Amino acid sequence: MNLMNDEKHYNTIHNYYLQKYQKKVYKIPLNGGFTCPNIDGTVASGGCTFCSYMGSGDFAGNKHEPLKTQFDTIKKMMEKKWRDGLYIAYFQANTNTHAPLKRLKELFEEAITLDPKIVMISIATRPDVLPDDVIEYLSDLNRRMPVQIELGLQTIHQETSDLINRAHDLKCFDDAVKRLREKNIEVVVHIINGLPHETKEMMIETIKHVNTLDIQGIKIHMLHLMEKTKMGYQYKQDPWPLLSLEDYTDIVTDQILWLRKDIIIHRITGDAPSDMLIAPLWTKKKFVVMNEIDKRLRKLNLYQGDYHEKSHL
Ligand code: SF4
């Protein structure tokens, strides 16, 4: 599937879904009321220092409402923009496999029947919360409805991982990808640029490592410092230099050039609720960030994976 063109020099998820389904496909965030083992003490406590009290699901539905109500509310809003779309039931907030298998089955089985236009279920989780019985069940579900697992990595560097309290190591992540892929389950990796003390080279190394794994997609985020997070508090006490828009454009452009050509890019920047964002404020302008990256790739006349392929000649 060739998704790149003169305008877009990388594989966008928009173009991927359009080619696959001939329609706009959008994610409907659902909140299954999960917690996170890195917050509740199961694995560690305190959580990742950048994580908001919404468990990195700041746009997720209201966990006190039934899934159907959550789905219909967001679907109605989305339909104002795209009348004839298809949907992905998306469990985003917190760690969406952190519950007994019986509960996971109840939630996921209900989710896939919420609407006949649902074409996929996407589940965000940590690599250390995928026991064999859960993977076995996801594999069974995947035969009935495509399952996509969004797996948090953020960085391959252990010193950064310790600093932000991820509470798992790289081996755990690599193992989780391998076990999911043995069952043919799609994997989308999350990484964050601009974490404290990381250099451009370190961020490129994260890309080079994920290239070695059988992943199908990636979400690249800029670090957001948000109110009511540990890192936001640390920053307010003792601010440190953050990436500028120019730095970020330069880094992401190079990451795209290093990224394998078959990987689909789901995001090249993220957005935090503006009332919670402390810095960097340029991240509010998502379209400006995307345009700057497009412009730079076009100026270089290079495409996703060009550096990666050259290094393998
Ligand atoms: S694993 Fe995810 S939900 Fe849990 S603290 Fe970290 S970012 Fe938040």
Side-chain angles (χ1 to χ4, degrees):
M1 200 182 277
N2 181 21
L3 302 169
M4 298 187 230
N5 54 44
D6 291 346
E7 280 293 302
K8 282 282 174 198
H9 287 209
Y10 62 93
N11 299 321
T12 67
I13 188 64
H14 173 77
N15 286 347
Y16 175 74
Y17 286 143
L18 219 50
Q19 279 212 19
K20 187 162 179 187
Y21 297 104
Q22 288 84 50
K23 282 193 178 172
K24 173 82 185 162
V25 179
Y26 48 91
K27 281 183 161 164
I28 303 233
L30 299 170
N31 194 329
F34 292 95
T35 60
C36 172
N38 193 17
I39 296 175
D40 69 13
T42 311
V43 172
S45 51
C48 304
T49 60
F50 58 82
C51 183
S52 70
Y53 69 96
M54 293 289 286
S56 292
D58 303 303
F59 301 101
N62 179 351
K63 68 177 176 188
H64 301 295
E65 288 177 348
L67 290 184
K68 179 74 179 148
T69 312
Q70 294 181 36
F71 185 92
D72 288 344
T73 307
I74 300 176
K75 178 183 154 184
K76 216 182 256 172
M77 276 162 29
M78 297 291 197
E79 274 181 346
K80 287 184 190 149
K81 287 197 217 166
W82 303 287
R83 280 226 61 79
D84 189 28
L86 300 170
Y87 317 120
I88 297 173
Y90 182 30
F91 288 88
Q92 180 187 27
N94 281 302
T95 300
N96 295 279
T97 53
H98 183 44
L101 183 57
K102 185 170 170 287
R103 178 71 185 137
L104 299 183
K105 284 184 180 173
E106 282 165 10
L107 281 169
F108 300 158
E109 296 297 328
E110 184 187 347
I112 62 171
T113 59
L114 289 173
D115 193 287
K117 284 159 82 182
I118 289 177
V119 292
M120 180 184 284
I121 178 167
S122 179
I123 300 163
T125 192
R126 288 171 56 88
D128 53 358
V129 195
L130 286 165
D132 287 345
D133 57 349
V134 169
I135 292 197
E136 208 48 64
Y137 164 63
L138 293 174
S139 165
D140 168 63
L141 183 61
N142 192 36
R143 282 189 277 271
R144 293 175 281 127
M145 168 69 71
V147 174
Q148 177 186 82
I149 297 293
E150 290 198 359
L151 212 51
L153 171 62
Q154 321 315 353
T155 174
I156 61 160
H157 301 285
Q158 193 58 47
E159 61 274 31
T160 315
S161 192
D162 292 343
L163 189 69
I164 62 174
N165 195 37
R166 276 296 296 169
H168 66 77
D169 61 14
L170 184 58
K171 184 176 177 311
C172 169
F173 180 85
D174 291 357
D175 284 351
V177 174
K178 189 165 165 277
R179 290 167 54 240
L180 287 164
R181 292 305 298 150
E182 278 167 6
K183 300 292 180 186
N184 207 25
I185 297 170
E186 183 182 331
V187 178
V188 176
V189 177
H190 282 219
I191 64 165
I192 298 180
N193 286 330
L195 289 168
H197 309 300
E198 289 224 338
T199 61
K200 176 178 174 182
E201 288 64 38
M202 291 167 82
M203 297 176 232
I204 301 283
E205 280 166 14
T206 292
I207 293 291
K208 288 183 182 171
H209 180 81
V210 300
N211 275 343
T212 67
L213 306 174
D214 183 13
I215 62 156
Q216 288 61 57
I218 189 166
K219 282 187 168 179
I220 303 175
H221 289 268
M222 171 62 200
L223 175 69
H224 289 124
L225 294 168
M226 287 199 278
E227 298 286 0
K228 298 184 188 156
T229 64
K230 192 163 179 206
M231 206 187 276
Y233 178 76
Q234 290 164 339
Y235 181 78
K236 280 187 172 179
Q237 292 293 305
D238 188 11
W240 61 86
L242 300 174
L243 297 180
S244 65
L245 172 59
E246 292 70 31
D247 298 330
Y248 189 73
T249 302
D250 174 58
I251 291 166
V252 176
T253 302
D254 277 17
Q255 286 180 315
I256 291 173
L257 296 173
W258 276 108
L259 190 69
R260 268 191 357 240
K261 281 190 187 287
D262 61 288
I263 296 173
I264 308 297
I265 301 180
H266 291 234
R267 269 180 184 270
I268 51 170
T269 182
D271 42 6
S274 49
D275 56 336
M276 286 171 67
L277 182 67
I278 300 170
L281 295 179
W282 57 261
T283 57
K284 283 185 187 175
K285 298 177 189 154
K286 212 164 92 177
F287 289 103
V288 173
V289 181
M290 289 162 68
N291 281 339
E292 287 303 310
I293 294 166
D294 282 337
K295 271 197 308 206
R296 186 154 162 73
L297 283 165
R298 286 196 293 260
K299 192 168 168 206
L300 293 168
N301 194 24
L302 291 170
Y303 289 78
Q304 178 182 335
D306 281 355
Y307 288 173
H308 174 69
E309 289 209 332
K310 226 173 175 182
S311 71
H312 283 75
L313 288 177

